[in-house]
Amino acid sequence: MTSKSQYKEGYVWIWLPNETKPVVAGKLESEGDTLAFNYGKSYLERIEDTPPAMSIYQPELPLKSGILPNLDGLKMPSCIRDSAPDAWGRRVIINKKLGLKGADTDTASLDELTYLLESGSDRIGALDFQQSPTEYVARSAKNVSMEELIQSAERVEKGVPLTPELDQALYHGSSIGGARPKALIEEDGTKYIAKFSATNDLYSVVKAEFIAMRLAKMAGIDVAPVKMVKAANKDVVLIERFDRMHKGKNWTRKSMVSALTLFGLDDMMARYASYETLAEIIRHRFTEPKNTLKELFSRLLFNILCGNTDDHARNHAAFWDGKLLSLTPAYDICPQGRAGNEAGQAMRIIGNNNLSQFKTCLSAAHNFLLSQDEAFGIFEHQKTVIEQNWQAVCDAAELSEVERNLFWRRQFLNPFSVEE
């Protein structure tokens, strides 16, 4: 059960398109175990301003006065939940608030409003959360060394309280999603998400993600740029953020929603998510639907060919401009460990079929407005790119021969995945 929150309300601030400072959009109120949202009067009156008010996400939170009802089955707006921390960020906040008691504490011990108001401000997308409707104060930290961040992450994993310095180092990135250790950094004028090894990793998860993202780029998929660095004798993969843009000496933020929000689902209902439904949403509500469908099909197929079965609905996202959606670059393409050959994707591909096989994709090609020949051509291209560039990308990742043998034909181009 969730604990009682010290907060009863919080205010949602938003960066409107091309703006470097946020404005208050509305208020979240705690009602039992639910959160209800309503837009502020001053925000709704911005219709004639430049830039005008935009909905946080039109199908869920349209620009209307009064408390907006949550969608059926949801305890809070899904487009707000997109900005909340996931498993890793919640552990950081539990460590900060509960110290040693956080080691074995369920993340449900704290409520959603606490996670929104206690996490760092540089979160994914264009929202932040404050206790004040009039004064915006960012919860952030100065840039710190990678070694300090790694030390912080290790202490959180062990449930050991952080020192004040390490606390600030890791707390800055507590709002970003995902289950693995990570932090936010800025280097040479570029913002990155830094992902670290976990103490219980059975193989080099960090290197696996780097290899998969590099090969995906070579295969023509729109992916976030990545690079590998070392710190404290550990591998760190840096993923360039695509939701931040320079404007002078400041940053603008791009609004985003997850595929889970597009589906109108929450994490408890994620099992109902499917590529088939996402393709239908793209056909009706995205810019350039035909090209976007081909891109989504390519991502699905590459996930299968590289062994990434963690392609759940929070690992797909779209930019939202107030009217239309457009697919963000791909991220979190990370091959997963597997004992045998047979595997299934996190989202269903067609009907109830989620088998991680090219032939499953082939049967679903029509949903992506692709012919059988076009789908087969994408498959042949990706397979060839992986085969021809495998050694070079492994060299770039300084992957050992043992690790190469662990990945090759197990995660990457597993026989089960390429059966025709």
Side-chain angles (χ1 to χ4, degrees):
M1 293 182 63
T2 57
S3 64
K4 290 184 179 180
S5 174
Q6 68 184 85
Y7 305 106
K8 292 300 181 185
E9 62 184 29
Y11 294 88
V12 181
W13 290 67
I14 186 171
W15 278 255
L16 293 170
N18 300 314
E19 295 296 297
T20 59
K21 293 183 178 180
V23 295
V24 65
K27 182 168 68 172
L28 282 169
E29 290 185 90
S30 177
E31 299 177 356
D33 62 349
T34 67
L35 283 179
F37 176 81
N38 67 282
Y39 286 107
K41 182 181 178 183
S42 62
Y43 187 72
L44 292 173
E45 290 173 348
R46 290 183 60 94
I47 300 301
E48 302 300 327
D49 291 3
T50 304
M54 62 177 273
S55 63
I56 295 174
Y57 180 54
Q58 181 69 24
E60 190 174 25
L61 296 179
L63 286 173
K64 295 180 179 178
S65 60
I67 293 177
L68 301 175
N70 293 328
L71 299 182
D72 288 346
L74 301 188
K75 293 185 177 181
M76 66 182 295
S78 186
C79 58
I80 299 289
R81 173 60 180 83
D82 283 340
S83 299
D86 284 330
W88 172 252
R90 292 174 187 233
R91 288 182 65 186
V92 173
I93 293 168
I94 286 173
N95 185 292
K96 179 183 177 71
K97 292 184 71 67
L98 304 178
L100 274 172
K101 292 183 292 183
D104 300 311
T105 302
D106 192 314
T107 54
S109 301
L110 301 176
D111 68 296
E112 291 296 337
L113 191 55
T114 297
Y115 284 123
L116 290 171
L117 291 170
E118 293 278 350
S119 50
S121 290
D122 199 11
R123 65 191 73 241
I124 302 300
L127 300 181
D128 193 23
F129 306 90
Q130 300 278 310
Q131 296 180 54
S132 169
T134 57
E135 182 183 12
Y136 179 81
V137 180
R139 299 179 297 280
S140 59
K142 64 178 183 179
N143 263 351
V144 296
S145 71
M146 203 76 72
E147 287 79 4
E148 288 176 294
L149 290 170
I150 289 172
Q151 187 182 347
S152 298
E154 289 174 345
R155 291 175 73 93
V156 167
E157 284 189 285
K158 296 173 183 176
V160 178
L162 297 170
T163 65
E165 294 77 20
L166 295 181
D167 177 17
Q168 283 303 306
L170 207 59
Y171 175 64
H172 178 42
S174 61
S175 57
I176 50 181
R180 294 184 55 78
K182 59 178 66 69
L184 297 174
I185 68 165
E186 186 174 336
E187 186 178 84
D188 299 327
T190 302
K191 286 181 178 282
Y192 296 98
I193 295 173
K195 294 187 177 181
F196 315 122
S197 302
T199 53
N200 60 349
D201 282 347
L202 300 178
Y203 62 95
S204 182
V205 177
V206 166
K207 287 183 176 180
E209 181 167 0
F210 171 79
I211 291 167
M213 294 282 279
R214 276 288 176 89
L215 288 170
K217 182 72 172 178
M218 292 175 175
I221 295 170
D222 179 21
V223 299
V226 297
K227 65 179 182 178
M228 284 277 296
V229 297
K230 276 192 179 293
N233 205 32
K234 289 194 173 185
D235 297 307
V236 181
V237 64
L238 301 181
I239 299 100
E240 189 173 326
R241 294 184 64 173
F242 46 73
D243 62 332
R244 297 291 185 268
M245 301 291 291
H246 264 299
K247 186 174 182 181
K249 295 181 179 180
N250 298 307
W251 296 90
T252 64
R253 304 190 180 194
K254 301 189 74 170
S255 289
M256 287 171 51
V257 289
S258 70
L260 203 60
T261 292
L262 302 183
F263 294 136
L265 302 175
D266 66 7
D267 294 280
M268 300 300 293
M269 299 187 284
R271 64 186 180 277
Y272 298 113
S274 74
Y275 281 97
E276 195 170 10
T277 303
L278 183 53
E280 183 179 355
I281 292 170
I282 288 171
R283 288 197 297 272
H284 292 97
R285 289 160 47 197
F286 273 62
T287 60
E288 301 184 28
K290 186 170 177 58
N291 291 337
T292 303
L293 287 168
K294 182 179 179 181
E295 172 71 15
L296 181 63
F297 181 87
S298 299
R299 295 182 188 188
L300 163 60
L301 182 54
F302 189 85
N303 281 332
I304 288 173
L305 297 186
C306 80
N308 176 30
T309 54
D310 193 36
D311 55 340
H312 56 79
R314 285 206 184 280
N315 280 344
H316 299 276
F319 294 123
W320 166 249
D321 68 1
K323 295 179 181 179
L324 292 171
L325 297 155
S326 57
L327 209 58
T328 71
Y331 56 95
D332 278 356
I333 304 177
C334 188
Q336 305 295 303
R338 61 203 290 177
N341 287 331
E342 186 169 327
Q345 297 306 115
M347 295 203 311
R348 295 174 295 174
I349 299 170
I350 183 169
N352 290 320
N353 189 349
N354 73 330
L355 286 178
S356 306
Q357 293 186 293
F358 164 58
K359 59 186 179 184
T360 311
C361 297
L362 198 61
S363 68
H366 62 280
N367 289 326
F368 300 85
L369 304 184
L370 295 171
S371 68
Q372 297 285 289
D373 286 346
E374 288 172 321
F376 198 82
I378 294 170
F379 166 71
E380 288 289 352
H381 173 66
Q382 290 190 1
K383 183 170 176 287
T384 299
V385 166
I386 293 171
E387 290 171 337
Q388 292 182 349
N389 294 281
W390 173 253
Q391 293 297 345
V393 174
C394 287
D395 289 344
E398 298 181 353
L399 207 64
S400 71
E401 197 63 34
V402 171
E403 288 174 315
R404 295 179 199 218
N405 292 335
L406 176 68
F407 293 140
W408 189 243
R409 305 293 183 191
R410 292 190 184 183
Q411 281 93 338
F412 291 85
L413 299 186
N414 185 288
F416 180 73
S417 70
V418 297
E419 284 181 13
E420 296 176 14

